[in-house]
């Protein structure tokens, strides 16, 4: 082999190795993204008869979350599901939510996107403005007891399922 051909083969090997390294890095990023759960449940309120539940939702990701579908008790559609949005830093959990003028409930879960959670400094700036959401909650009602909730959502182009087992209360992240 001539010197030019040897150098050409070495250059092709370097390009191939670089391509393989980039491919492996891309696969690692894709696997990490596919396993990342951006939606966090940071609080739960239930009625005494367990037919109504409010889940406090937080977006710990980098982009908006779109709620796609909610089921209860494995496969059942709840009688009523609403996404509550607070514009005053009041958590969308507990009682008296309907009386608070700074909390709006939306029956169409697709209507509002859940924005990434603000840090403490940003929350202080958002709260007085009352024009940007600060907190979110999912209110579900049903004629039968609600044992578990499955939330299907989209984040960063990926679709995820978040499962909440209300019987054991071990779902608060």
């Amino acid at each position: 082999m001539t010197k030019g051909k040897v150098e050409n083969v070495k250059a092709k090997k370097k390009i191939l190795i670089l391509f393989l390294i980039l491919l492996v890095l891309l696969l690692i990023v894709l696997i990490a993204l596919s396993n990342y759960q951006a939606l966090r449940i940071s609080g739960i309120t239930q009625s005494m008869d367990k037919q109504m539940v409010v889940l406090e939702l937080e977006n710990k990701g980098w982009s908006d979350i779109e709620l796609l579908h909610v089921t209860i008790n494995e496969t059942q559609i709840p009688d009523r599901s609403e996404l509550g949005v607070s514009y005053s830093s009041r958590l969308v959990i507990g009682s008296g939510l309907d009386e608070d003028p700074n909390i709006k409930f939306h029956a169409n879960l697709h209507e509002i996107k859940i924005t990434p959670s603000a840090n403490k400094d940003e929350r202080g700036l958002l709260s007085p403005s009352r024009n940007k959401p600060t907190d979110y909650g999912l209110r579900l009602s049903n004629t039968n007891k609600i044992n578990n909730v499955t939330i299907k959502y989209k984040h960063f182009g990926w679709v995820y399922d978040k499962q909440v087992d209300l019987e054991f209360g071990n779902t608060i992240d």
Side-chain angles (χ1 to χ4, degrees), residues 11-26:
K12 285 182 181 180
K13 281 184 180 179
K14 286 181 182 178
I15 291 172
L16 180 63
I17 290 171
L18 182 62
F19 175 75
L20 289 175
I21 290 171
L22 289 175
L23 185 64
V24 168
L25 289 174
L26 179 65

Side-chain angles (χ1 to χ4, degrees), residues 100-124:
D100 189 329
N102 295 309
I103 295 178
K104 307 288 185 232
F105 281 94
H106 304 268
N108 180 356
L109 299 181
H110 309 282
E111 187 176 337
I112 300 288
K113 301 227 183 324
I114 300 172
T115 58
S117 297
N119 63 36
K120 288 180 182 179
D121 294 332
E122 292 170 336
R123 284 180 68 82

Side-chain angles (χ1 to χ4, degrees), residues 10-121:
K10 284 183 179 179
K12 285 182 181 180
K13 281 184 180 179
K14 286 181 182 178
I15 291 172
L16 180 63
I17 290 171
L18 182 62
F19 175 75
L20 289 175
I21 290 171
L22 289 175
L23 185 64
V24 168
L25 289 174
L26 179 65
L27 285 173
I28 290 170
V29 168
L30 289 176
I31 289 169
L33 278 176
S34 70
N35 290 322
Y36 181 73
Q37 287 274 343
L39 184 64
R40 301 279 193 253
I41 308 300
S42 53
I44 299 172
T45 301
Q46 281 184 294
S47 63
M48 295 297 284
D49 60 8
K50 311 250 188 220
Q51 294 177 343
M52 189 279 301
V53 65
V54 180
L55 304 173
E56 182 186 354
L57 306 178
E58 279 187 88
N59 179 351
K60 292 295 189 182
W62 311 284
S63 67
D64 292 350
I65 287 177
E66 178 186 356
L67 297 182
L68 301 174
H69 187 70
V70 176
T71 56
I72 58 170
N73 304 334
E74 306 304 332
T75 59
Q76 186 181 3
I77 306 280
D79 294 339
R80 185 169 137 191
S81 58
E82 301 170 295
L83 179 61
V85 182
S86 171
Y87 295 89
S88 65
S89 290
R90 177 179 176 194
L91 300 177
V92 184
I93 197 163
S95 60
L97 299 176
D98 290 317
E99 291 80 32
D100 189 329
N102 295 309
I103 295 178
K104 307 288 185 232
F105 281 94
H106 304 268
N108 180 356
L109 299 181
H110 309 282
E111 187 176 337
I112 300 288
K113 301 227 183 324
I114 300 172
T115 58
S117 297
N119 63 36
K120 288 180 182 179
D121 294 332

